[in-house]
Amino acid sequence: MSESRSFLPVSGMELPRFAGIATFARLPWIPLERAEEVQIGIVGIPTDVGTTNRPGARHGPRQIRDASTQIRLVNQATGVAPFHLARCADLGDSPVNPADTTDCLARIEKFVRGVIDRGIVPMSLGGDHLVSLPILRALARECPVGMIHFDAHTDFFDSYFGGYRYTHGTPFRRAAEEGLLDPRRVVQIGIRGSTYDGEDVTWARARGVRIVTIEELAERGPDSVMEEARAIVGSGPVYVSFDIDALDPAFAPGTGTPEIGGITTREAQRMIRALDGLDLVGADLVEVSPPLDPSGLTAWTAVNLVFELLCVLARAVARRAA
Ligand code: MN
Ligand code: MN
């Protein structure tokens, strides 16, 4: 750990959890210009410029940070203490532009590129799922990455509204076309619900994407599915993208495009823990929409899944540093 600056969260034993300005998990807030010691950076991306139906995910980062003040130091299930394993900090929010999609994507890419260039692993808080595209543009500019993607939807659609190519339903189609993802190392888990014509699934499968529907997950169980997912992504760099609508709306109702019959929170925790040991290079958690989340349950759920993601990211960072 750095001797010059503490990277540990403020303790709830010292300052009550409802007090102070909310950073993720009460980590220090460190602007990117001064983040040279940081190993894992929390990045808020407050935009829903790609949303096609019910909006509100632009408010996700603030709500997630507020709920995250309850996070403590140690994962009771795995024993991992992420903030002791890696220097984590909240880097604040990426610049965005709510009035112009192209400019918004450019601003996010530039900010995340600054994160990557400093050797910081990004743990991003959406925002709608389109934010994964500029993140991948920054992260995978030299070589394509693999991805484990939890979602009710493939987000491999081609276009909306007569040829419009940039929405939260299209990020991975663009990412595959741009050579940012290696489709043979992409696994999607939890896919379900009604669909259009199935072209998204056909296109992705034809390029080697492994799509695990919710029915297959229910049949085989999370351990078997994750064993296969780990084998598919192998030892190369892997990005993790978690759309909160992968969960059943009973656990996460506050999202724009809920689909019933989804993943439980326990299954999600178990599957994220099964990412331990992979060469994880970044993660995002997207599509939390606070205006659709009056109880705050969805944000609580997201916070705890981000904590699980931080645990496996910190293990990966510590392994690479050793
Ligand atoms: Mn989705
Ligand atoms: Mn999605």
Side-chain angles (χ1 to χ4, degrees):
M1 298 297 292
S2 165
E3 290 169 20
S4 59
R5 186 192 275 140
S6 170
F7 286 90
L8 292 181
V10 175
S11 171
M13 303 291 187
E14 286 163 23
L15 182 72
R17 295 193 175 278
F18 49 83
I21 294 170
T23 59
F24 189 85
R26 315 179 103 205
L27 287 163
W29 168 61
I30 303 181
L32 198 48
E33 310 81 64
R34 291 194 272 113
E36 62 284 340
E37 293 178 283
V38 177
Q39 293 175 298
I40 298 176
I42 306 291
V43 176
I45 310 185
T47 172
D48 48 23
V49 75
T51 299
T52 57
N53 187 11
R54 305 192 305 163
R58 66 178 64 179
H59 303 290
R62 279 200 175 177
Q63 184 77 10
I64 290 170
R65 285 191 176 101
D66 187 12
S68 77
T69 62
Q70 184 162 311
I71 290 296
R72 305 179 189 88
L73 297 177
V74 182
N75 185 320
Q76 287 204 65
T78 62
V80 173
F83 311 122
H84 289 86
L85 270 181
R87 294 187 295 274
C88 301
D90 193 327
L91 303 178
D93 284 350
S94 163
V96 292
N97 181 346
D100 184 318
T101 305
T102 305
D103 182 57
C104 192
L105 296 183
R107 289 175 190 226
I108 297 166
E109 180 184 348
K110 184 174 175 217
F111 186 84
V112 177
R113 193 161 280 184
V115 174
I116 308 289
D117 286 347
R118 287 169 174 81
I120 302 170
V121 171
M123 173 65 244
S124 304
L125 314 174
D128 72 47
H129 220 152
L130 183 58
V131 305
S132 298
L133 178 61
I135 294 169
L136 288 169
R137 283 174 174 166
L139 192 66
R141 89 189 117 149
E142 269 152 34
C143 84
V145 295
M147 179 173 73
I148 297 183
H149 168 210
F150 300 92
D151 205 321
H153 315 97
T154 66
D155 297 347
F156 264 108
F157 294 97
D158 182 44
S159 60
Y160 285 63
F161 321 125
Y164 193 72
R165 289 155 48 83
Y166 298 96
T167 78
H168 67 162
T170 67
F172 302 124
R173 181 79 160 242
R174 299 291 90 79
E177 289 170 349
E178 293 177 23
L180 309 171
L181 287 173
D182 175 355
R184 291 157 306 171
R185 295 182 57 238
V186 172
V187 184
Q188 303 190 297
I189 301 170
I191 307 303
R192 64 187 185 276
S194 59
T195 186
Y196 293 97
D197 54 8
E199 194 270 346
D200 56 320
V201 169
T202 309
W203 192 92
R205 281 191 172 141
R207 282 151 188 84
V209 173
R210 174 71 168 99
I211 296 175
V212 180
T213 63
I214 198 74
E215 290 77 18
E216 183 180 349
L217 176 65
E219 188 77 26
R220 292 172 55 192
D223 293 353
S224 163
V225 166
M226 290 311 292
E227 192 183 328
E228 184 192 349
R230 292 171 59 96
I232 289 170
V233 298
S235 58
V238 186
Y239 188 72
V240 183
S241 190
F242 201 111
D243 184 329
I244 200 71
D245 73 29
L247 297 177
D248 192 276
F251 302 96
T255 190
T257 319
E259 306 283 356
I260 67 163
I263 295 169
T264 69
T265 47
R266 279 193 199 160
E267 287 169 337
Q269 287 171 304
R270 194 174 181 87
M271 289 194 282
I272 294 174
R273 288 169 194 159
L275 301 170
D276 186 37
L278 297 176
D279 186 26
L280 304 172
V281 293
D284 62 49
L285 190 141
V286 299
E287 298 285 357
V288 173
S289 175
L292 304 173
D293 187 31
S295 75
L297 169 64
T298 311
W300 287 114
T301 303
V303 161
N304 284 279
L305 296 181
V306 172
F307 179 70
E308 295 289 347
L309 287 165
L310 281 174
C311 289
V312 290
L313 288 174
R315 291 259 300 160
V317 165
R319 250 192 332 274
R320 285 195 290 264

